[in-house]
Amino acid sequence: MRIVLINVPHPSIGSRIPDDHLPPLGLLAIGGPLIDDGHDVHLIDGEIGPMSIQGLVGKATRLSPDAVLFGHSGSTSGHPIIAQAARRIAKAMPGVRIVYGGVFPTYHWREILKEEPYVTAIVRGEGEETARHLMDAIGQGTRLEDVAGIAFRRNVRPYATPPAPLIRDLDAYRVGWELIDHARYSYWGGLRAVVVQFSRGCPHLCTYCGQRGFWTRWRHRDPIRFAKELARLHREHGVQVINFADENPTVSKKAWKTFLEALIAEKVDLILVGSTRAGDIVRDADILHLYKKAGWTRFLLGLEHTDEATLARIRKGATAANDREAIRLLRKHGILSMATWVVGFEEETDADHWRGLRQLLSYDPDQIQMLYVTPHRWTPYFRAVAGREVIQTDRRRWDYKHQVLATRHMPPWRVLLWFKFTEMVLQGRPRALYRTFLQPDRRLRQAMAWYSQMGRRVWPYEIFRFLREPLVKGGPSLRNFWGVPQDTEERAMSVTSRPSARQLHKTPEKLMRAPAHPCKGRRHNGAHERSPSTP
């Protein structure tokens, strides 16, 4: 079969403001196994340019595919663009099969199949193995009911097969790096870059996280094989920056230490950036020198908040003392810290914002990433706030960088003022300016200057958008806007062996009554909803 993978152009700040773009790891992860199965696979990356929808559809049409597979790492906010592109492709090529995967369609499969008749099937959960079986079934004309982990229409009604088993051996599937021209992808100020995953999932129970349950259980790749792959990307393709898409790569100290030592032994000059938890940094105080030697330059620490009661309410499993200590330890070892701070968990007052700013200053992170709370229907947090008022009804703006929920104690414009004021104070204080312009370490100084440059571009963009796109007054409740909570379906994958024939042949009625998986929730692009390995 000829298969086209499509990464749509996305309007989010993270996609449009930087001159750098990272490769779509999720689609490449699907592409590798499909190539190995003998399919003729092509990638169209609409983020480069960016391409117009018309240009994207034209390029796809010229390839005359049998199937088109869509996915995007900004899954919820990317959905309206994917729906538009898929509709136009279906019109241009009436016989083409359209398959859609990612975090958002994994949980919103019922609505998508009801509202978007051009979608043939949805891959739910991890896509490498499921996409292979689905493409085989489509190519050979066999029953879709026999493919675990998908949703499609059966007798006109949306129908989901039992969850596919999670992938226990992450090294069993390779990333299709040959689908991209590495020279077109960069990060960190124009340096050639890729996105990778050492692990999937997170063992922690944060209630707002849109990612943890999608992966269902934490697993990691073989540390030595993974280090060799990074070294090969550097030597053969000139890759300089490795951006880790993991929610929490450092869960196992033993596996992580093995990876660090293996990468050090490869003797490659790489810049490593990614996310982890502050508690793991404190735990690894005795091996942080290995982090630095391996090339770690910055960690995003999902602090989310500084109020202990709020952290307990969202089951963050962190403490303010641990967060401060992690930042201190990273600085001691010459590694930058980026703290995420989320506005909107509670309906804050001016006093709350002022107290939060003072606490952030006491943490003294090198960089700050401000985000707005963005509830996802499949998380426990959504159920807790389902009655709150929605003020942003454009789903393209549900990207963590736009206010989406009303706050009782202050209007949106004042929330924005606190948001921007906090950024200005954290990034404009003397210590931050010193680290940006006078940092002794050239590599860290370059990183700080690059991030500062992005911030100067984002500032007017966010304010302009706020003024140009008025928010809704008297909007629907969160429940009425997105639908009933789905936290009982949080887990996207089965942790057991492959489903039996009896399970696969459940009636639609029984399946609709049962959870489509058992339970889920976590992480970001600043956010908490990203899926690097679904179509």
Side-chain angles (χ1 to χ4, degrees), residues 74-349:
S75 192
T76 294
S77 53
H79 174 70
I81 300 95
I82 288 176
Q84 180 187 1
R87 181 171 60 251
R88 293 182 63 175
I89 283 177
K91 184 177 180 180
M93 296 181 286
V96 76
R97 303 301 186 98
I98 292 177
V99 177
Y100 184 14
V103 179
F104 182 85
T106 288
Y107 299 101
H108 287 257
W109 58 272
R110 297 174 181 88
E111 293 83 358
I112 293 170
L113 291 173
K114 285 179 182 177
E115 299 165 8
E116 300 172 28
Y118 40 83
V119 174
T120 305
I122 289 170
V123 172
R124 300 170 60 241
E126 293 173 318
E128 290 94 336
E129 184 68 8
T130 301
R132 292 179 64 222
H133 290 295
L134 178 58
M135 290 300 101
D136 284 348
I138 289 174
Q140 296 172 20
T142 56
R143 289 163 42 93
L144 295 186
E145 287 91 339
D146 294 334
V147 180
I150 67 168
F152 62 100
R153 292 175 201 84
R154 191 171 90 163
N155 300 326
V156 189
R157 297 177 58 187
Y159 171 87
T161 63
L166 58 79
I167 297 171
R168 296 182 183 276
D169 180 7
L170 297 180
D171 292 292
Y173 306 88
R174 68 177 188 86
V175 177
W177 296 115
E178 66 267 40
L179 291 168
I180 65 168
D181 174 2
H182 284 273
R184 304 183 75 187
Y185 296 94
S186 62
Y187 189 60
W188 217 246
L191 301 181
R192 190 169 295 190
V194 295
V195 184
V196 300
Q197 271 188 317
F198 172 66
S199 67
R200 291 181 181 175
C202 179
H204 299 279
L205 302 174
C206 307
T207 63
Y208 60 86
C209 172
Q211 196 76 1
R212 176 180 58 87
F214 178 83
W215 300 119
T216 303
R217 179 172 290 180
W218 189 83
R219 298 146 283 152
H220 66 83
R221 289 190 55 184
D222 178 275
I224 296 173
R225 290 180 64 176
F226 184 66
K228 288 184 181 298
E229 181 175 351
L230 301 192
R232 183 184 64 79
L233 287 168
H234 173 75
R235 293 178 182 128
E236 296 181 11
H237 300 288
V239 172
Q240 297 168 276
V241 181
I242 306 292
N243 190 326
F244 281 65
D246 305 46
E247 282 69 50
N248 192 1
T250 55
V251 167
S252 167
K253 182 174 182 177
K254 179 181 178 181
W256 189 244
K257 183 171 182 283
T258 300
F259 160 66
L260 294 173
E261 291 171 338
L263 188 58
I264 291 167
E266 292 289 341
K267 295 185 168 68
V268 288
D269 185 18
L270 289 170
I271 294 172
L272 309 181
V273 297
S275 305
T276 193
R277 287 177 65 93
D280 288 2
I281 295 298
V282 175
R283 179 203 68 196
D284 289 354
D286 61 323
I287 63 168
L288 285 178
H289 63 286
L290 296 179
Y291 283 59
K292 181 65 175 178
K293 193 172 181 180
W296 276 99
T297 304
R298 186 186 73 189
F299 270 109
L300 183 151
L301 300 175
L303 308 186
E304 324 305 8
H305 218 277
T306 56
D307 179 65
E308 297 281 7
T310 299
L311 292 173
R313 205 168 290 120
I314 61 176
R315 299 179 70 181
K316 178 66 182 177
T319 65
N322 246 13
D323 293 341
R324 287 194 187 90
E325 179 64 3
I327 291 169
R328 187 192 71 80
L329 286 169
L330 288 175
R331 181 167 296 124
K332 177 182 176 181
H333 288 85
I335 301 171
L336 296 176
S337 61
M338 173 190 279
T340 59
W341 173 260
V342 182
V343 170
F345 279 126
E346 300 300 318
E347 300 192 74
E348 295 102 340
T349 63

Side-chain angles (χ1 to χ4, degrees), residues 334-409:
I335 301 171
L336 296 176
S337 61
M338 173 190 279
T340 59
W341 173 260
V342 182
V343 170
F345 279 126
E346 300 300 318
E347 300 192 74
E348 295 102 340
T349 63
D350 290 317
D352 294 322
H353 282 286
W354 177 247
R355 182 170 59 252
L357 172 58
R358 293 179 62 187
Q359 289 173 321
L360 280 172
L361 286 169
S362 73
Y363 282 23
D364 192 26
D366 296 300
Q367 298 172 350
I368 183 74
Q369 184 176 82
M370 300 285 292
L371 305 167
Y372 294 104
V373 69
T374 305
H376 296 295
R377 199 173 76 183
W378 55 91
T379 65
Y381 180 73
F382 182 97
R383 183 179 293 277
V385 298
R388 286 183 63 178
E389 179 188 338
V390 170
I391 57 174
Q392 177 55 268
T393 56
D394 184 345
R395 297 182 181 190
R396 296 173 302 168
R397 304 293 179 244
W398 284 64
D399 60 0
Y400 299 88
K401 294 300 289 182
H402 293 82
Q403 295 181 63
V404 297
L405 298 181
T407 301
R408 274 185 304 166
H409 304 297

